[in-house]
Amino acid sequence: MGVRENYLEVLNKKNQAALRAGRNPEDITLMAVTKLHTVDEINEAIDAGATDIGENKVQELLSKYEDVKPVRWHLIGHLQTNKVKQIIDKVVMIHSVDSLHLAEEINKRAGNAGLVMDILIEINVGEEETKTGIQAEELMDLAKEITDTCENVRLRGVMCIPPYGEDPEVSRKYFRETRELFEKLQQLGLPEDRALIDTLSMGMSGDYETAVEEGSTIVRVGSAIFGKRNYR
Ligand SMILES: *Cc1c(COP(=O)(O)O)cnc(C)c1O
C-alpha cells in the first residue's frame, strides 16, 4: 500500500477509535511523523489530507522545509537550546520541552521573532533512563515556572512516549497516568494568557487507537503511514 492509502486507513481507525470512546473524531489531530522519509513521501501524505507533520531533528526539518507543501510543522524530538532560533518561525508547536532553561530560550527567540510559541512539556512517563522528558512529580512546578517567566510562550499541555512495547494494552496505563497529569494541570489555575491546557500528545503507530480511547488530542504516527524507517 502507498502513503495515501495508509494515511486514509490510519485516519479512519483514529476516527473509529474516537467514536468508540464517545468522542468527536475532529477533536483528535492525526500528525504524520516524517523523520527519515523523503519530501516526496511527505507531500504524498499532504495530498492525502495531512495537515500536521512532525519531525524529531532540527537539521532534518530544515533540510526538507522549503520543498514540503504548506503544512503545520511540529518539533517532537529533543531540542537543544542552541538550535531553537533556527526553527522558531517554522513550527507551530514544540512538544518536547523538558526544562525551564529550554522554555526560556524559546521565550527569548519567540520574542525576537514577534510571536508566541505553543509548547508542551514532555513527561518521561516510564521513568526510563534513556528517555528525555521530566519526571511526573516535576510537572506542576515546571508549568508554574514557565508560565511565571515566559511571556512569549503559551503552555498547551503535555506529551509522552511510553516505554516501547508490542502490546498497546501496556501503553494504556501510561496514557492514563499522563491524562491524569494533564487534568491536574488544567486544574492548576495557571494564568490564562500564558496557558491554554487543551493538548494531550500521545499515541504512535502501535498504540494510537488506545491513546485516543484514553484522551489523546494529537496522535503522532510515522511507520503506519510511511512504512519502516531506514536508519542509516
Ligand atoms: C518517531 C516518533 C513517532 C512515530 O513513531 P511510529 O512508531 O513510527 O509511529 C512519534 N513520536 C515521536 C516523538 C517520535 O520520535
Side-chain angles (χ1 to χ4, degrees):
M1 285 212 302
V3 168
R4 163 178 290 275
E5 291 75 17
N6 291 342
Y7 177 80
L8 294 175
E9 186 184 323
V10 171
L11 183 67
N12 185 44
K13 284 189 181 167
K14 181 274 281 181
N15 289 342
Q16 293 303 324
L19 294 173
R20 278 201 305 278
R23 304 182 60 198
N24 182 349
E26 287 176 18
D27 292 344
I28 305 119
T29 302
L30 168 58
M31 174 204 294
V33 175
T34 52
K35 60 171 180 261
L36 299 177
H37 292 290
T38 64
V39 164
D40 287 344
E41 291 171 305
I42 300 170
N43 283 333
E44 219 180 308
I46 293 170
D47 287 339
T51 54
D52 291 76
I53 66 174
E55 281 284 345
N56 283 61
K57 295 194 172 139
V58 168
Q59 234 41 54
E60 190 174 347
L61 188 157
L62 294 173
S63 75
K64 297 171 183 174
Y65 187 78
E66 296 293 332
D67 299 318
V68 168
K69 295 182 179 188
V71 72
R72 291 158 49 85
W73 293 80
H74 299 247
L75 201 282
I76 59 174
H78 183 65
L79 178 58
Q80 288 169 276
T81 48
N82 64 359
K83 298 198 172 152
V84 171
K85 66 173 183 296
Q86 298 177 271
I87 49 112
I88 196 72
D89 59 346
K90 298 189 171 57
V91 302
V92 296
M93 190 179 279
I94 296 170
H95 292 229
S96 44
V97 173
D98 59 0
S99 70
L100 180 61
H101 181 60
L102 176 58
E104 285 174 338
E105 176 66 13
I106 294 169
N107 184 54
K108 176 177 150 195
R109 298 297 173 182
N112 290 349
L115 53 84
V116 173
M117 180 55 63
D118 283 332
I119 65 160
L120 304 178
I121 295 176
E122 180 179 349
I123 302 169
N124 182 355
V125 73
E127 301 185 12
E128 294 170 280
E129 291 203 354
T130 53
K131 286 230 177 98
T132 52
I134 62 158
Q135 301 300 306
E137 314 81 71
E138 301 172 303
L139 176 63
M140 302 304 149
D141 284 344
L142 181 59
K144 281 187 206 152
E145 286 169 348
I146 291 175
T147 53
D148 268 352
T149 55
C150 299
E151 58 183 356
N152 307 308
V153 160
R154 187 164 58 158
L155 180 62
R156 296 291 298 267
V158 294
M159 182 270 245
C160 79
I161 310 171
Y164 179 79
E166 298 290 335
D167 181 1
E169 287 308 315
V170 176
S171 300
R172 190 183 297 277
K173 87 172 216 275
Y174 296 106
F175 291 151
R176 281 199 182 145
E177 226 176 285
T178 309
R179 203 248 304 247
E180 281 164 19
L181 291 165
F182 172 71
E183 288 172 348
K184 264 177 82 178
L185 202 55
Q186 288 178 320
Q187 310 293 318
L188 201 58
L190 296 167
E192 276 175 28
D193 55 331
R194 299 206 180 160
L196 172 67
I197 309 300
D198 64 353
T199 306
L200 183 50
S201 170
M202 58 187 197
M204 308 183 6
S205 290
D207 54 20
Y208 65 91
E209 292 168 279
T210 310
V212 168
E213 289 166 11
E214 297 301 333
S216 173
T217 69
I218 180 162
V219 293
R220 310 178 310 266
V221 179
S223 43
I225 295 173
F226 296 104
K228 271 214 170 75
R229 284 179 288 273
N230 268 319
Y231 289 97
R232 276 169 283 240

